Amino acid sequence: MPPTALLHRPPPPPPCLVASNTWLNLLSLKCPSAFLPYSAEFVSGIALKSNGFRCFSHPPLSKPTVDMDVEKTESAKLKQKIEALGVKFESCTPGQFDLLYCPKCKGGQSIQRTLSFHISQSWSYAIWRCFDLQCGWAGQVFADNNKENPHVSWENLRLEPLDDKLLGYFAERMISKETLQRNNVMQVVGGKKIIAFPYRRNGQHVGCKYRTLDKKFWQGRNTEKMLYGIDDIVDADEIIIVEGEIDKLSIEEAGYCNCVSVPDGAPQTVSVNKIPSKEKDTAFQYLWNCIDYFKKASRIILATDGDAPGQALAEELARRLGKERCWRVHLPRKDESSSFKDANEVLKSLGADALRAAIDKAELY
């Protein structure tokens, strides 16, 4: 397809139509996008007609697709901010998702369009993600900084149910399909094995964390930090905190749904300084953003990992939540010299009963 063809795109064909040209392969293989609303958008040089969709052999070139009218305050502000990012967005169509060259990784080693970029129809905000695994640049920017962040819609996340391989991956870790479905664990569309853990609050999708099978993690930047599974502790008197999303699912397999996970793992050591103010406590911003959920809790069970960083995380959480209401889980011994690392390792090796027993035997901090 000639470069000018990217400037104007016909409506997407119905889902029943399947295309196989080079650009569609690039979209599906190179951009398993959590932002792209569809992966098959157009067919170069092929006329398609089905259910009333018109045929296009060549896109029209006379009508511009992007209204860059600087007299519109919203679009002028947003344009300036996007330009500051270094994104070449002139070919973008507001309200749609476009595949661009990432200004951070320059297209990666293969020099491909890996940046999924979206400008809202109203020019009020833009969101993006680079799907080069060595880059992962992502974020959002708003024309008006005082406007509330939009919810991340399920459609824009562009996810699909876990395939057999990923279901098998979780089955090996003793995580059932029912638990995965309850927590809306999905995978990114596009063929690559990328697990998606949607973050929800009040039933609304507010973010998503991604994980590959070789344990590479990333999240959208400039999104509100919060605990994973926050809707499961609304009005809870007892709350369990773990160190990762899979550990939260493991605790659920042991019979406890009143569990949340931190989003960013654990610190290497305990800070020797006093706790900073909420505004400056950036490493634990996710906790302060969810602190109201802990007001009714009389018992907080810290089931973080058993290694040194996990112990440091438990200490930092207890300092902020109040040690007088915190309880510490001690994971079972693996052998004479070591204990199991985390909740999922206990679940895999010893079963749900052993994990439940460890939680029930938590000691006052």
Side-chain angles (χ1 to χ4, degrees), residues 274-319:
K274 69 176 184 179
I275 299 174
S277 64
K278 296 178 182 180
E279 294 74 21
K280 296 182 178 180
D281 195 13
T282 55
F284 290 87
Q285 198 61 53
Y286 62 81
L287 185 62
W288 297 118
N289 289 341
C290 301
I291 200 66
D292 287 345
Y293 290 83
F294 292 87
K295 288 183 176 179
K296 295 183 179 180
S298 60
R299 192 166 184 255
I300 301 170
I301 300 174
L302 305 176
T304 54
D305 290 4
D307 56 12
Q311 294 175 24
L313 175 61
E315 174 68 15
E316 294 288 7
L317 291 172
R319 292 173 68 193

Side-chain angles (χ1 to χ4, degrees), residues 81-125:
K81 292 183 178 182
I82 296 175
E83 287 176 342
L85 296 170
V87 176
K88 304 298 182 182
F89 67 100
E90 291 79 5
S91 62
C92 289
T93 303
Q96 297 186 20
F97 290 74
D98 293 272
L99 206 58
L100 309 176
Y101 286 108
C102 175
K104 299 297 183 182
C105 67
K106 312 299 182 184
Q109 294 181 351
S110 57
I111 313 180
Q112 300 285 2
R113 297 173 184 261
T114 56
L115 185 68
S116 175
F117 200 84
H118 172 76
I119 299 173
S120 68
Q121 189 73 49
S122 62
W123 282 88
S124 59
Y125 69 91

Side-chain angles (χ1 to χ4, degrees), residues 141-160:
V141 66
F142 300 90
D144 185 348
N145 291 331
N146 294 321
K147 286 194 173 182
E148 183 179 355
N149 293 3
H151 290 301
V152 180
S153 72
W154 185 255
E155 293 76 14
N156 286 354
L157 286 177
R158 194 57 180 155
L159 306 177
E160 63 184 1

Side-chain angles (χ1 to χ4, degrees), residues 122-292:
S122 62
W123 282 88
S124 59
Y125 69 91
I127 56 177
W128 65 88
R129 175 176 296 284
C130 176
F131 282 91
D132 183 287
L133 292 181
Q134 301 301 317
C135 179
W137 181 50
Q140 57 189 15
V141 66
F142 300 90
D144 185 348
N145 291 331
N146 294 321
K147 286 194 173 182
E148 183 179 355
N149 293 3
H151 290 301
V152 180
S153 72
W154 185 255
E155 293 76 14
N156 286 354
L157 286 177
R158 194 57 180 155
L159 306 177
E160 63 184 1
L162 297 170
D163 61 18
D164 289 342
K165 181 174 181 178
L166 291 181
L167 286 174
Y169 169 84
F170 281 106
E172 291 176 358
R173 285 150 181 78
M174 305 298 290
I175 307 295
S176 67
K177 185 176 181 180
E178 291 72 24
T179 296
L180 295 168
Q181 290 176 338
R182 180 185 176 277
N183 290 274
N184 292 297
V185 181
M186 306 283 274
Q187 72 182 79
V188 174
V189 170
K192 292 187 176 181
K193 305 303 179 185
I194 302 176
I195 301 166
F197 298 98
Y199 276 55
R200 305 171 73 188
R201 183 174 55 198
N202 300 324
Q204 297 285 342
H205 297 281
V206 296
C208 198
K209 185 174 178 180
Y210 304 92
R211 171 190 173 129
T212 62
L213 295 181
D214 57 351
K215 297 190 70 172
K216 293 180 180 177
F217 301 90
W218 68 91
Q219 279 182 296
R221 298 179 185 174
N222 301 324
T223 56
E224 182 182 3
K225 291 290 187 179
M226 61 180 296
L227 294 161
Y228 176 67
I230 196 68
D231 282 353
D232 285 339
I233 63 168
V234 175
D235 295 327
D237 178 65
E238 183 173 290
I239 297 172
I240 304 170
I241 304 179
V242 294
E243 197 172 318
E245 290 82 7
I246 291 182
D247 287 330
K248 185 261 192 289
L249 304 179
S250 301
I251 296 293
E252 196 164 315
E253 292 291 346
Y256 297 101
C257 291
N258 54 323
C259 179
V260 290
S261 168
V262 303
D264 297 328
Q268 292 301 307
T269 59
V270 176
S271 173
V272 297
N273 301 318
K274 69 176 184 179
I275 299 174
S277 64
K278 296 178 182 180
E279 294 74 21
K280 296 182 178 180
D281 195 13
T282 55
F284 290 87
Q285 198 61 53
Y286 62 81
L287 185 62
W288 297 118
N289 289 341
C290 301
I291 200 66
D292 287 345

